Amino acid sequence: MVGSQMETTASRPQEADSVQGPPDRPPLSSGGSTRVRLGTVTGILGLLAASLAALATAPTLMPASYSVLTHTTSESGAQGVQGAWLARLGFLCLGLAVLALTNLAGPRWGVWGRVVFRTYSVAMIGAAVFSHVPWQDIPYDVFEDSLHSVAASVVGTAFIAGVLVVTLRRRRDEWAARTFDAIALVVAAAIPIVMFNVEASPDWCSA
């Protein structure tokens, strides 16, 4: 009995070594992970702030014929228009911010949530690369305008779909997040309707 117990005891370290295998790379410390996450959040907020500032001030660089009531945000970044670079920069910053936010969200948004918002990000960057037709009587590229229209349509569709997908994944007690999602959906649906009505009836804007 004593001999068998000694053999069993002697074999345990060998078994432990066989289970452990080769040493892995040391995991990232919690402090390092927190710093990386904080840096990512800071970068996202910076991009969002830059996008908001660029899109809000872009109309100030537009010619006198531009109106925030009768012209779209895309037109503030139109082809051949002086100062259009600022609105395009706003589109680019927004696309990069959402792309980084999607990577930060990880599994919380689910596979489809991440796919849809990455699609949104790529389309928003595409809207920055390809510009809208100008309202002025200047030369423009019809094909580029078509690409911008496709990108803008994908942006609107992907945003609504993404918010719905993420909302359905939230827990019932996340009422604050659900409320924010509902507001985002209402705003996303209302903006195109308002813009369409303004473009269809511009007379009241100049009254």
Side-chain angles (χ1 to χ4, degrees), residues 19 81-82 120 130-131 146:
V19 172
V81 176
Q82 186 177 4
Y120 170 93
F130 306 109
S131 300
S146 299

Side-chain angles (χ1 to χ4, degrees), residues 33-75:
S33 177
T34 302
R35 287 193 296 270
V36 171
R37 186 178 180 86
L38 180 61
T40 303
V41 171
T42 302
I44 292 173
L45 293 176
L47 285 170
L48 289 174
S51 175
L52 179 61
L55 294 176
T57 57
T60 62
L61 300 183
M62 294 292 98
S65 58
Y66 179 88
S67 171
V68 294
L69 296 177
T70 58
H71 295 98
T72 64
T73 305
S74 290
E75 287 178 303

